[in-house]
Amino acid sequence: MNLFDYTRPASVEAAIAAWVPGAAWLGGGTNLVDLMKTGAMQPGKLIDVTRLPGLDRIETLPDGSTRIGAMVRNADLAHDAGFARAFPMVAEALLSGASGQLRNAATVGGNLMQRTRCAYFADPHSACNRRTPGAGCDARGGDTGGMAVLGWSPACIATNPSDFCVALAALEATVEVQGTGGKREIAFADFHRLPGDTPEIETALQPGELILALRLPAEAAQFAANSRYLKLRERTSYAFALVSAAAALRLDGGRIVAARLALGAVAAKPWRVASAEALLVGQAPEPALFARAAAEAVAGAAPSGENAHKIELARRIAVRALTAAAQGTPDRMPALPASVFGEPAHV
Amino acid sequence: MSDTLPYATRFGSNSGQSTSRRDGVAKVTGAATFAADNHPQGLLYAVYVPATIARGRVTHLDVAAAKAHPGVVEVMTPQNRPALAGDPDSKPFMFAFRFEALQDDTVRYANQPIALVLGETIEAATEGARLLNPQYQVMPPRVGLDAEAPYKVVVGNFGRPGETVHGDVAAGHAAAVQSVDVTYETPAQYHNAMETHAVVASWDGDQLTLDMPHQAIVMSRGVFGYYFGIPAENVLLRSPYLGGGFGSKSIANGPQVLAILAARMTGRPVKLMLRRDQMFGPVGHRGATRQRLRIGIDEAGHMTVLEHEALAATSTFDDFVENAANASQGLYAAGALRSAHEGVRIDIGTPGPMRAPGEASGSAALECAMDEMAERAGLDPLEFRLRNYAETEPGTGKPYSSKALRACYAQGAERFGWAGRPLKPRQMRDEQGMLVGWGMGTALFPAPMFAAQARATLRPDGSGLVETAAADMGQGAWTALAQIAADGLGLPLDKVEFRSGSSDLPDGGIAGGSGHTATAGTALHAAGVDAVRQLTAMAVSDPASPLFGAGNASIVARDGRLFVAEDASRSDSYADILARAGGQALVGTGSGGRAPEAAGRHAMYSHGAVFAEVKVDPDLFQIRVTRLVGAFAAGRIINPKLANSQLYGGMIWGISFALHEEARFDPRTGRIMNADFAGYHIPVNADVKGLEVITVHEDDPFVNALGIKGVGEIGITGTVGAIGNAIWHATGTRIRRFPIRIEDLLAHA
Ligand SMILES: Cc1cc2nc3c(=O)[nH]c(=O)nc-3n(C[C@H](O)[C@H](O)[C@H](O)COP(=O)(O)OP(=O)(O)OC[C@H]3O[C@@H](n4cnc5c(N)ncnc54)[C@H](O)[C@@H]3O)c2cc1C
Ligand code: SF4
């Protein structure tokens, strides 16, 4: 690990003032420190933001939206009873990620900013455009089973691994950020970026900007009765998604009046297709309809290596998530959140 | 043992009890000292630099940059590496493998050590290692089983023949009315004990002290003595606890040898602990295999032939070839039997013994092929195995020392509910619509013994001290061996102190091959019996003893007293006998081992039957093992709680093999791209839903005096095949490659 400075500012203003090029915000460290250990990341300065005042709260704002401080731990958010009731799909996505220990440490801000799990990215001895612009991409032609099938470019075929973000994308969250230029808000759809020619630009965050909070609009809670996050993985728990889907419906009189669908682990950002959602609206929830919507959601998908199976699996998990959402959100969180084997909860 | 007390009279007061681990509290409270917990004064931290290519030469290392980093003390490269007395490319003894210890600038596989950096802190050494920024001349690596032409293995691992044939194979094929000819593949797997390899090395002149987890504690003295040119007695190796070994902590490896060398070079103690990613290369692994099985049967479903050929990957510079085909020896009564091995030399670290080496991968393929044969014959898989039940060892005709396999089949099947199994696949669903499948496999593992010595002391106060350098990898040697030793001494467990895990004690032998309890246990028991025999001689010739004049043979020992067997009113305590004899401690010795004649007379194996239930999502193909029932006959069970844990563990290894473990190589570079626990999967709790173990009683008068076989590794055999077969039964799809993945099933959908 390189030598670095460490600072723990007492206020947001001090944190922003402490930023210099080459510095990194330190949340729970569960992603950043791992990458520093391999040498993939070598920040000259770590600015520990975990104790910044006021950013560890979950609040309801006057407009009915829910504001989640960037320092709220993943586990605390998922286990907040009020939050889980209003946004069960988000809680399920959180609980399907990583392990209990990691969720205790990981922050909301860090989860949004977590880097791809592309092995070539984490390995400083491999060429990686995302890590070193213009260096090339060793993942292409290598170990590609888990790589992107949507939105990838010749420059980069990596995926965004977050579960949380898939649910947030479906529910149209907003990200509050602050930098030297002041505060601004970023719609979730604009937050993560597809690689194009500049895979090193992963998010809409400008250098030196800090995530302060996330907001979920009041309407998002209207999906509470019919929303599911489902995640296919190579072991029953504690594994990143092979593919995943967040599906949320609002049903009225046997018809879908609003629909959200986002896919995970298929692209460098949570994959949301407006036309797939539009197909659902006004229709009765039926298998054939879900099949059409799911097919629309993966339209244009193409393997980036030995991963054509991910396209079919993404389509299938979308169908399953829509079906499960239509059946209704379970009363209790399943013992295996987001799993196809999700058993009844422990009492 | 004819002039000693009949052991049976004293065996069982401690043995046979489910005593909890005596080291359990120390481990869960952190009081147990593992090798890397040692911090001698003046300690330096070593970090080895792993090669990031699989084949070629190192052309440059930026030693100046590394040395300039604050806290870096020394950088060891082939240029300045002090000489070793023993050549790391020699193979002076049976467990010696060739290894890389900076002999030269050649890179033979990815992750091989190419330099060692020493620092005042682990961070400094780590950064120094990074700053070396190696440059290479890269040669195209050979990756995968098809990269080179295979060669025929003449002499396999540990001296076993590369090819074994019994009977007329051609005739067996000709006589078959039905047959299968199938090929299965298994991947490279890496041991990955939770505790990575570690060493804290200190030199005092020519005396070397090593804190190092090791599976062969006393034997390793000679090994390190050889490489460093010092007598074996000069090496003290302490290994009280191992955080798992799985076979990889029985063999010297390059990084550890370099750390010991660095300690001598700098005159300071040196600690090295491998990072997780460094476990994928220099410390052995299970080599990938491709196995072809040909089975033929006659009208009655009897096997006319069983032919098992295995191709396995090995390194370019050493010879360990996963001897998978041998799994077909010793089990089924086929008219003709052939096992043959080929190797292929590719650019990987040398494989080594890992979790039932050979048996695990061989059993996986064999048990699936048996299932395919049963399917073709229209027979229930268990019925098919029973029809081919071997009453004597196939080929050799030797009697089994004991074989309660029939009872394993019956009890396992009963507990599992096998009788209701539909013959055809894809017949069962659960309430949620998941496909349900049932499969089974036979478990088989040899019951070897190695050599061990032990010492048992009766102290003047009547308590006991027993000593042997056994290795506790978590299996419970501290407990099970103490139970046996206490029985040997006729003392309750809490009156016996057990010293173990250090090379200055009598040789406890190797903890491997599932033979440690049998071997070290026999030695400990014999030592206790020897001490009690001496004590008895004292008592019966002491006029002051109530036992005076009783014959040796009529004395029994129990709870720290000697009794006349037929007259319990005549007894004398150990303390009193010793006090009258002058208050000196009394020392007995014993050894464990098996005479070659005894080994030759009988075929000796542990047996078992494993039944698996899996559920598979019919559209998404996620797989879950929902139930595993294993019934095992493994001789005398010393501690049912510990033995069950071993068998559970073995069956979990089986889940891991069937569904998870696989090192994924980049075909262009020969590097492993999932060398961490986020990428190299092993089962988590949620993957192990229902596990049941039955131990079937078995008295074996031939394996050793105590009737102990082994339970360490047998659990993985049978299990992998059972799971593969259950997946077929659930889905109707045969996947002939492990681990079985979602995409494999999808491809057949
Ligand atoms: C073994 C393992 C398994 C995992 N499995 C899963 C999984 O199944 N699903 C899943 O979704 N995730 C998984 N994760 C990832 C985990 O969710 C992330 O590591 C975690 O959310 C990161 O949060 P953190 O607070 O620790 O971030 P850190 O590691 O501290 O930071 C991560 C990045 O975010 C930046 N950052 C942190 N806070 C802010 C802020 N307020 N503003 C701007 N930038 C910021 C940092 O500079 C850094 O670049 C796994 C991780 C591990 C190690
Ligand atoms: S896929 Fe993207 S992250 Fe991975 S190596 Fe290529 S450029 Fe880097």
Side-chain angles (χ1 to χ4, degrees):
Chain A
M1 205 183 267
N2 60 304
L3 291 177
F4 55 84
D5 292 329
Y6 171 87
T7 171
R8 202 168 74 202
S11 68
V12 169
E13 289 65 34
I16 286 161
W19 196 84
V20 291
W25 310 120
L26 176 68
T30 61
N31 186 218
L32 178 60
V33 176
D34 275 4
L35 291 169
M36 290 172 67
K37 285 189 197 162
T38 69
M41 294 292 123
Q42 294 173 33
K45 184 178 191 179
L46 289 188
I47 307 171
D48 184 341
V49 292
T50 53
R51 317 270 172 101
L52 293 182
L55 299 186
D56 59 353
R57 288 203 294 268
I58 306 165
E59 339 161 63
T60 307
L61 300 186
D63 67 354
S65 65
T66 300
R67 183 172 189 271
I68 305 146
M71 303 311 144
V72 173
R73 305 288 166 162
N74 286 195
D76 292 338
L77 182 58
H79 293 301
D80 183 280
F83 180 82
R85 215 173 304 119
F87 310 105
M89 181 173 76
V90 184
E92 186 165 24
L94 277 169
L95 292 176
S96 75
S99 65
Q101 293 91 330
L102 284 159
R103 293 192 296 269
N104 284 339
T107 62
V108 158
N111 195 320
L112 258 57
M113 294 296 291
Q114 68 171 292
R115 317 296 295 267
T116 179
R117 304 304 292 196
C118 171
Y120 300 87
F121 171 80
D123 168 42
H125 305 282
S126 297
C128 171
N129 287 323
R130 194 174 278 271
R131 187 164 25 78
T132 313
C137 168
D138 274 353
R140 298 198 68 187
D143 180 26
T144 50
M147 294 294 178
V149 291
L150 283 159
W152 54 272
S153 72
C156 178
I157 59 173
T159 62
N160 182 306
S162 172
D163 294 302
F164 184 40
C165 291
V166 183
L168 294 176
L171 295 181
E172 297 188 341
T174 306
V175 187
E176 291 179 22
V177 306
Q178 185 173 340
T180 40
K183 288 193 191 183
R184 64 186 183 111
E185 296 187 353
I186 306 169
F188 213 82
D190 303 327
F191 189 76
H192 295 102
R193 307 265 303 240
L194 291 178
D197 293 335
T198 54
E200 72 278 11
I201 305 174
E202 298 182 341
T203 67
L205 218 60
Q206 295 297 316
E209 275 185 322
L210 175 70
I211 300 174
L212 298 182
L214 259 181
R215 266 203 340 269
L216 279 163
E219 311 86 82
Q222 292 171 3
F223 293 99
N226 291 92
S227 54
R228 284 307 296 276
Y229 180 72
L230 284 181
K231 173 179 178 183
L232 200 57
R233 48 204 134 162
E234 286 164 345
R235 62 183 167 194
T236 310
S237 179
Y238 196 21
F240 285 98
L242 193 53
V243 294
S244 71
L249 303 174
R250 243 171 59 219
L251 298 171
D252 192 7
R255 303 255 151 209
I256 298 169
V257 295
R260 302 286 173 78
L261 178 65
L263 300 175
V266 292
K269 62 185 292 186
W271 196 257
R272 219 184 131 199
V273 177
S275 53
E277 293 175 357
L279 270 177
L280 295 163
V281 177
Q283 309 293 315
E286 280 167 2
L289 174 70
F290 294 154
R292 266 190 291 133
E296 179 70 14
V298 299
S304 58
E306 308 275 312
N307 59 359
H309 58 275
K310 284 187 69 170
I311 302 172
E312 180 58 15
L313 290 172
R315 194 188 66 71
R316 290 173 179 230
I317 195 104
V319 172
R320 182 66 63 84
L322 286 165
T323 308
Q327 280 162 359
T329 308
D331 290 341
R332 283 170 171 276
M333 184 64 66
L336 294 169
S339 171
V340 297
F341 294 107
E343 303 169 343
H346 304 296
V347 183
Chain B
M1 276 199 167
S2 55
D3 66 336
T4 65
L5 301 159
Y7 75 86
T9 59
R10 288 209 318 280
F11 198 72
S13 36
N14 297 292
S15 300
Q17 308 293 320
S18 278
T19 307
S20 290
R21 271 165 220 271
R22 301 175 95 201
D23 50 348
V25 171
K27 280 185 176 165
V28 298
T29 57
T33 310
F34 288 80
D37 292 332
N38 290 286
H39 295 92
Q41 273 284 313
L43 184 68
L44 282 176
Y45 293 84
V47 170
Y48 98 75
V49 182
T52 52
I53 63 166
R55 186 183 180 201
R57 283 181 51 235
V58 180
T59 54
H60 186 253
L61 290 166
D62 196 345
V63 175
K67 280 196 158 170
H69 187 72
V72 171
V73 172
E74 185 57 273
V75 176
M76 201 197 282
T77 70
Q79 264 72 54
N80 67 342
R81 192 274 251 155
L84 282 167
D87 179 359
D89 275 318
S90 65
K91 284 170 82 78
F93 20 69
M94 170 137 105
F95 285 99
F97 280 48
R98 299 195 175 97
F99 59 83
E100 306 60 44
L102 306 179
Q103 293 88 314
D104 54 36
D105 59 11
T106 316
V107 176
R108 306 195 277 202
Y109 60 90
N111 270 353
Q112 141 190 345
I114 55 170
L116 188 81
V117 179
L118 298 160
E120 297 288 354
T121 61
I122 181 86
E123 290 81 8
T126 302
E127 181 63 3
R130 194 183 65 79
L131 290 168
L132 282 177
N133 189 23
Q135 306 296 309
Y136 304 97
Q137 183 189 338
V138 187
M139 289 173 70
R142 290 151 292 193
V143 185
L145 289 168
D146 299 310
E148 280 287 332
Y151 70 93
K152 201 172 153 59
V153 175
V154 179
V155 181
N157 307 331
F158 309 121
R160 292 185 66 176
E163 178 168 0
T164 307
V165 184
H166 294 293
D168 187 338
V169 172
H173 283 300
V177 295
Q178 277 184 311
S179 59
V180 293
D181 179 349
V182 289
T183 300
Y184 279 79
E185 293 201 3
T186 66
Q189 302 171 344
Y190 286 74
H191 303 79
N192 275 309
M194 193 55 87
E195 176 203 34
T196 64
H197 289 249
V199 58
V200 176
S202 323
W203 288 91
D204 181 1
D206 259 356
Q207 303 284 325
L208 172 62
T209 301
L210 298 172
D211 289 299
M212 177 193 268
H214 213 289
Q215 294 178 241
I217 293 170
V218 171
M219 192 181 81
S220 68
R221 294 186 318 165
V223 174
F224 292 111
Y226 168 78
Y227 291 114
F228 291 96
I230 56 174
E233 308 80 72
N234 286 19
V235 179
L236 173 64
L237 187 144
R238 296 181 294 211
S239 178
Y241 307 108
L242 292 85
F246 302 146
S248 91
K249 286 176 182 159
S250 49
I251 292 155
N253 61 67
Q256 283 173 328
V257 166
L258 288 172
I260 301 168
L261 195 55
R264 187 148 78 176
M265 180 180 179
T266 58
R268 291 173 64 176
V270 167
K271 175 181 338 196
L272 171 93
M273 187 164 200
L274 297 198
R275 287 197 313 256
R276 182 58 58 190
D277 60 295
Q278 295 174 331
M279 294 289 283
F280 292 76
V283 293
H285 70 284
R286 190 199 299 285
T289 74
R290 181 181 297 144
Q291 304 175 49
R292 180 178 183 196
L293 278 118
R294 280 172 283 180
I295 303 175
I297 56 169
D298 64 18
E299 270 99 3
H302 294 132
M303 290 161 74
T304 56
V305 65
L306 168 55
E307 225 188 327
H308 193 161
E309 294 167 317
L311 168 69
T314 191
S315 71
T316 56
F317 54 93
D318 213 335
D319 293 313
F320 197 96
V321 172
E322 178 82 354
N323 47 343
N326 290 343
S328 286
Q329 298 287 329
L331 184 48
Y332 297 115
L337 264 179
R338 176 173 172 264
S339 299
H341 296 92
E342 288 186 326
V344 57
R345 297 196 180 283
I346 57 175
D347 297 303
I348 51 175
T350 307
M354 170 171 155
R355 303 184 209 142
E359 284 86 4
S361 32
S363 162
L366 168 64
E367 293 304 319
C368 289
M370 287 292 287
D371 208 64
E372 296 205 49
M373 189 70 253
E375 177 198 349
R376 183 145 312 168
L379 286 173
D380 173 81
L382 176 54
E383 169 59 24
F384 178 52
R385 285 166 176 84
L386 286 169
R387 284 196 197 178
N388 290 284
Y389 194 87
E391 302 294 350
T392 56
E393 189 181 43
T396 71
K398 278 192 216 171
Y400 290 101
S401 60
S402 62
K403 179 176 178 177
L405 177 58
R406 226 183 268 285
C408 294
Y409 284 140
Q411 293 183 30
E414 165 77 27
R415 181 72 59 88
F416 185 84
W418 181 260
R421 177 183 179 275
L423 213 49
K424 296 230 164 331
R426 254 189 121 86
Q427 302 298 306
M428 301 194 291
R429 297 248 184 179
D430 73 1
E431 324 75 65
Q432 280 151 25
M434 293 285 173
L435 298 168
V436 178
W438 291 353
M440 58 93 49
T442 309
L444 179 79
F445 199 82
M449 280 183 82
F450 308 104
Q453 265 77 49
R455 187 160 56 221
T457 304
L458 281 174
R459 290 161 162 160
D461 67 356
S463 69
L465 165 66
V466 294
E467 300 168 289
T468 192
D472 195 327
M473 303 180 281
Q475 83 275 36
W478 277 114
T479 310
L481 291 178
Q483 287 175 271
I484 296 171
D487 281 349
L489 278 172
L491 284 170
L493 193 55
D494 59 8
K495 284 280 186 307
V496 177
E497 181 187 345
F498 183 24
R499 290 195 189 142
S500 180
S502 181
S503 68
D504 51 358
L505 299 171
D507 187 354
I510 182 166
S514 299
H516 198 37
T517 308
T519 311
T522 301
L524 283 163
H525 192 263
V529 167
D530 182 40
V532 172
R533 183 185 53 75
Q534 297 175 45
L535 188 74
T536 305
M538 281 177 177
V540 298
S541 58
D542 178 358
S545 171
L547 304 177
F548 180 65
N552 273 4
S554 69
I555 301 294
V556 293
R558 191 168 67 233
D559 281 341
R561 297 186 78 83
L562 298 181
F563 295 84
V564 174
E566 316 80 61
D567 179 4
S569 71
R570 283 179 72 192
S571 77
D572 199 356
S573 79
Y574 293 4
D576 290 346
I577 300 167
L578 290 169
R580 287 194 306 270
Q584 298 294 307
L586 191 157
V587 180
T589 58
S591 64
R594 186 180 287 149
E597 316 83 70
R601 273 195 296 272
H602 290 94
M604 301 183 187
Y605 298 95
S606 296
H607 294 90
V610 181
F611 298 83
E613 176 184 270
V614 302
K615 292 190 178 175
V616 181
D617 189 292
D619 303 309
L620 296 164
F621 302 107
Q622 196 164 321
I623 305 162
R624 196 173 186 209
V625 178
T626 46
R627 221 148 48 90
L628 275 182
V629 174
F632 300 94
R636 188 189 288 268
I637 300 299
I638 298 303
N639 181 322
K641 188 193 263 185
L642 293 175
N644 283 4
S645 290
Q646 288 280 284
L647 294 165
Y648 290 145
M651 289 159 73
I652 296 168
W653 293 352
I655 298 176
S656 204
F657 192 126
L659 298 181
H660 302 302
E661 278 182 79
E662 173 175 26
R664 295 199 308 271
F665 291 83
D666 185 310
R668 304 158 304 179
T669 62
R671 298 178 67 203
I672 295 170
M673 296 317 296
N674 61 333
D676 63 36
F677 276 162
Y680 184 88
H681 282 183
I682 53 175
V684 296
N685 277 325
D687 293 303
V688 185
K689 191 165 151 54
L691 266 191
E692 257 188 280
V693 161
I694 300 166
T695 45
V696 173
H697 182 85
E698 203 173 53
D699 288 313
D700 191 322
F702 304 110
V703 276
N704 47 56
L706 305 180
I708 303 174
K709 291 180 173 177
V711 291
E713 292 160 279
I714 186 171
I716 192 173
T717 69
T719 303
V720 184
I723 294 170
N725 295 337
I727 291 171
W728 167 78
H729 191 241
T731 61
T733 304
R734 276 285 170 201
I735 304 299
R736 298 192 181 88
R737 170 200 183 282
F738 291 102
I740 297 176
R741 302 167 303 181
I742 292 171
E743 58 260 45
D744 299 325
L745 291 173
L746 176 72
H748 290 84

